[in-house]
Amino acid sequence: MIKVAILTVSDKGFRGERIDTTSSAIKEVLDPAIYSIEEIRIVPDEIEDIKRELVRFCDELKVDLVLTNGGTGFSKRDVTPEATMAVVEKLVPGIPEAMRAKSLEITPHAMLSRAVAGIRKSTLIINLPGSPKGAVENLNVVLPALKHGIEILKGEASECARKDD
């Protein structure tokens, strides 16, 4: 099982002014036979709050995958990528590159995403858009590679080459 935490970054969601539908949409996409949702949290768009939850998910809960949603745009309050980069030890640029490339087929606004992905200890953190549609579209881009990547991260697999390579 891949243990997952979902972190919604939203001032309005945190204050109860907006219902968080994005984390539910993300949860629906993850096959329960493969992914175990350990926790879902909402924090405001505050860099220290985001960092604190990311560290807690990685270091205390020891989840394999953290999926954030929200806070990846151009607004002054959008600081999820900065919080993520502050806590990860390695960046994984291919993940947001792939998400943006595929999203550009749908909307030119995809190039405005500042999402990042990275590794802290044995946890992969991926920033997703805040909208349910955008989060699901982006997650679906990376799902085919996630299981294998996390197996490598956990030391359960050692090769990235396909058998037919």
Side-chain angles (χ1 to χ4, degrees), residues 42-102:
I42 300 177
V43 295
D45 291 273
E46 295 289 343
I47 196 163
E48 293 304 321
D49 291 340
I50 300 165
K51 285 168 43 178
R52 185 173 35 257
E53 285 305 312
L54 292 175
V55 168
R56 188 176 70 79
F57 288 153
C58 298
D59 299 4
E60 294 175 30
L61 289 182
K62 299 186 185 318
V63 298
D64 305 308
L65 175 64
V66 176
L67 298 171
T68 72
N69 64 89
T72 61
F74 280 18
S75 165
K76 289 186 188 323
R77 300 283 296 155
D78 289 337
V79 294
T80 304
E82 288 74 21
T84 302
M85 288 187 292
V87 303
V88 299
E89 297 150 347
K90 297 178 184 179
L91 289 175
V92 184
I95 289 174
E97 288 169 4
M99 293 188 308
R100 278 188 282 273
K102 186 66 176 172

Side-chain angles (χ1 to χ4, degrees), residues 11-154:
D11 287 331
K12 289 181 180 178
F14 183 74
R15 292 190 305 257
E17 297 169 5
R18 176 186 296 153
I19 295 171
D20 171 30
T21 56
T22 305
S23 60
S24 300
I26 291 168
K27 186 178 175 182
E28 283 183 32
V29 173
L30 299 174
D31 181 348
I34 299 170
Y35 299 94
S36 167
I37 308 299
E38 302 295 308
E39 190 169 335
I40 298 174
R41 296 266 301 154
I42 300 177
V43 295
D45 291 273
E46 295 289 343
I47 196 163
E48 293 304 321
D49 291 340
I50 300 165
K51 285 168 43 178
R52 185 173 35 257
E53 285 305 312
L54 292 175
V55 168
R56 188 176 70 79
F57 288 153
C58 298
D59 299 4
E60 294 175 30
L61 289 182
K62 299 186 185 318
V63 298
D64 305 308
L65 175 64
V66 176
L67 298 171
T68 72
N69 64 89
T72 61
F74 280 18
S75 165
K76 289 186 188 323
R77 300 283 296 155
D78 289 337
V79 294
T80 304
E82 288 74 21
T84 302
M85 288 187 292
V87 303
V88 299
E89 297 150 347
K90 297 178 184 179
L91 289 175
V92 184
I95 289 174
E97 288 169 4
M99 293 188 308
R100 278 188 282 273
K102 186 66 176 172
S103 294
L104 275 168
E105 296 174 9
I106 300 166
T107 175
H109 294 161
M111 70 180 77
L112 303 178
S113 170
R114 298 182 316 105
V116 299
I119 296 167
R120 178 180 177 90
K121 298 185 179 177
S122 296
T123 303
L124 175 61
I125 302 171
I126 301 174
N127 299 159
L128 298 170
S131 75
K133 180 179 183 292
V136 167
E137 286 172 356
N138 280 262
L139 183 55
N140 279 327
V141 171
V142 299
L143 271 178
L146 271 187
K147 184 174 181 288
H148 183 67
I150 291 170
E151 287 171 348
I152 292 171
L153 191 56
K154 292 168 66 173

